[in-house]
Amino acid sequence: MAQEDVFKKLVSHCKEYGFVFPSSEIYDGLAAVYDYGQMGVELKNNIKRYWWDSMTLLNDNIVGIDSAVFMHPTIWKASGHVDAFNDPLIDNRDSKKRYRADVLIEDAIAKIEEKIDKEVEKARKRFGENFDEKMYRETNPRVLEYTQKRDALHERFAAAMSEMNLEELRQIIIDQEIVCPISGTKNWTDVRQFNLMFSTDMGSTADGAMKVYLRPETAQGIFVNFLNVQKTGRMRIPFGIAQIGKAFRNEIVARQFIFRMREFEQMEMQFFVRPGEEMTWFNHWKEFRLRWHKALGLGDHKYRYHDHEKLAHYANAATDIEFEMPFGFKEVEGIHSRTDFDLSQHEKFSGKKIQYFDPELNKSYTPYVIETSIGVDRMFLSVLAAAYKEEVLENGETRVVLQLPAALAPIKVAVMPLVRKDGLPEKANEIINSLKFDYRCQYDEKDSIGKRYRRQDAIGTPFCITVDHQTLEDNTVTLRERDSMEQHRVSISELHALIGEKVSFRTLLQKIVNE
Ligand code: GAP
């Protein structure tokens, strides 16, 4: 099945089974804003717990905070967001639609890449087993022509972006003859800068309201609390502060479902280190974060690093962890070495000294920072995309199964009486009452057992327990495992341990440490 179709199916599966709903749906929705349903919120909470525990339990020098969404507006001046958190926008005069100029050009580059891939695929079919892809890419005249065109365009685009040369961005769009997907015309306006921060007014207008921003990242809440946490927690460098919270960006190109949203959630950790030691810690966090991803078992080949060649003015190293989404490898997490930029800026703008006295070195300095920043929603999408499977069974039937990492699954155990009588429902509820303190359980007595299994497969429940007449005699049940669909007769007294071994966060966290 084409990846595009897989993605469409995933989106409708999310809606059908209560994972993700479009926001304000009965009012026709609100673009790039989504609500998490009864299953989605559990999966999301489990992702957050996995991240939080990996930071604050596995690292005794990392503590958490929960700072406010609203912050003093000068914070965003100091951080550079007021002046530089912009996207270059262009309008089509005929359709009146607005686009990100950089995305239009990126799409044009992607189209050339598609042409190259098509040529390569055609040749692969023609030459069969003897096909040497590398040689073909290096020698075929048509592929070479496309490759040169792509590289030249990419170079011109990268230069225009690094200088934020808006005229040049427009000229590239004109020269490439890029048309508006709606009107089909090339009737473009100039390119303008558009700030991505949402703002609102705080306080009564009579007193003079203050313009405040909805935070576009959670990181600044950590920086401005650096001294509070360091002093009250008696933290010694190196140490980290972790935070999970909402962030808001007025994204113009909002597409690919929950990949790019206007309201989303971030899990960020700022790790404060001695100046000069930042590269050691950058490499440490780069490696730790990839282990965190891989421990989920979604497939090691689905991840790759993308090291940034062009760095933001405050960074001296940066890399993305990309995940293979149905629409290609995309950034899920960023790891940045942010130097002392943020703390120094807040010192400058607040007029308060923000330094750390290092007792070992017997001197004060502004700490350097390594940041790990991951979007909860993007992580959610990557987990679901990897977990979604359509399988043809031995009897020819198909099943849709979410092969979620067991610790992240919304429901851990479904308990099903074979029939709705003879005391089986009561026995099933007895089992739920013994498990529910540790595992989220669901009771299901409707339809055939086969249909009930399919329903649980579709929401990724790792275990189903069937209670039958034999259970009443010998206190055993059938335990059915989601992925293998194997069934075993086990004693009720064994259930707690058997389930725990598979679904506990402990198993997952141990993998990070032991890998
Ligand atoms: N404090 C650094 C920072 O915010 P970023 O690369 O802009 O860096 C970090 O964002 C992560 O937040 C991204 O890797 C992505 O997972 C997530 N993210 C950013 N913008 C997003 C959006 N509009 N919708 C969903 N997730 C987003």
Side-chain angles (χ1 to χ4, degrees), residues 347-367:
E347 183 169 274
K348 190 166 132 197
F349 278 75
S350 68
K352 312 264 167 25
K353 192 171 175 210
I354 308 180
Q355 293 219 329
Y356 170 78
F357 176 74
D358 193 323
E360 277 173 42
L361 301 181
N362 196 28
K363 68 171 190 183
S364 293
Y365 54 79
T366 309

Side-chain angles (χ1 to χ4, degrees), residues 498-509:
L498 282 173
I499 295 164
E501 197 189 302
K502 281 272 167 64
V503 310
S504 83
F505 278 90
R506 182 193 172 89
T507 314
L508 212 47
L509 293 172

Side-chain angles (χ1 to χ4, degrees), residues 104-319:
L104 286 178
I105 300 169
E106 272 168 7
D107 286 350
I109 294 173
K111 271 192 193 137
I112 305 176
E113 256 154 25
E114 271 168 34
K115 283 185 187 162
I116 297 173
D117 290 345
K118 259 192 197 151
E119 292 294 330
V120 172
E121 280 320 301
K122 261 198 293 183
R124 192 192 308 283
K125 276 193 193 137
R126 202 171 345 124
F127 294 114
E129 274 182 11
N130 300 328
F131 182 55
D132 182 341
E133 183 178 331
K134 190 166 173 283
M135 166 94 85
Y136 187 78
R137 282 182 185 270
E138 284 167 2
T139 54
N140 179 271
R142 193 169 300 162
V143 170
L144 280 178
E145 190 192 323
Y146 286 140
T147 308
Q148 276 159 10
K149 208 170 151 191
R150 179 200 61 192
D151 293 347
L153 176 56
H154 191 271
E155 208 173 297
R156 194 176 164 196
F157 170 55
M161 283 301 284
S162 78
E163 293 157 16
M164 257 307 151
N165 185 339
L166 304 183
E167 271 174 37
E168 171 69 350
L169 283 176
R170 181 172 190 277
Q171 199 53 49
I172 295 175
I173 290 171
I174 304 292
D175 293 348
Q176 290 298 311
E177 303 191 335
I178 295 173
V179 296
C180 165
I182 308 287
S183 66
T185 71
K186 293 176 241 165
N187 194 3
W188 296 110
T189 61
D190 287 342
V191 178
R192 287 167 299 115
Q193 292 279 31
F194 177 82
N195 194 282
L196 293 181
M197 282 197 293
F198 285 104
S199 64
T200 186
D201 296 323
M202 185 176 268
S204 74
T205 21
D207 293 336
M210 177 163 69
K211 181 176 174 181
V212 290
Y213 298 99
L214 275 73
R215 65 180 177 198
E217 63 171 15
T218 58
Q220 298 304 323
I222 294 179
F223 292 127
V224 297
N225 277 296
F226 166 74
L227 281 183
N228 283 338
V229 175
Q230 190 271 314
K231 291 207 155 73
T232 58
R234 301 190 312 281
M235 307 301 290
R236 297 184 120 195
I237 273 179
F239 74 91
I241 305 177
Q243 166 157 240
I244 299 178
K246 289 271 185 163
F248 305 83
R249 296 182 190 179
N250 197 0
E251 299 281 2
I252 293 307
V253 177
R255 57 181 183 188
Q256 286 152 340
F257 192 38
I258 54 173
F259 183 79
R260 196 176 300 287
M261 303 158 88
R262 295 203 165 107
E263 174 180 340
F264 58 101
E265 221 168 340
Q266 288 186 317
M267 306 188 280
E268 298 201 295
M269 193 278 297
Q270 312 294 325
F271 199 72
F272 300 93
V273 303
R274 277 182 188 159
E277 294 185 359
E278 69 272 17
M279 285 320 293
T280 309
W281 285 109
F282 176 74
N283 289 326
H284 166 86
W285 282 109
K286 200 174 145 177
E287 195 246 327
F288 182 93
R289 291 303 304 147
L290 191 61
R291 267 190 282 143
W292 181 89
H293 285 279
K294 288 186 173 174
L296 289 170
L298 301 175
D300 289 2
H301 62 287
K302 286 185 178 286
Y303 301 92
R304 71 179 187 197
Y305 288 123
H306 170 230
D307 294 326
H308 291 208
E309 283 158 29
K310 170 107 190 55
L311 296 169
H313 60 283
Y314 53 78
N316 62 6
T319 197

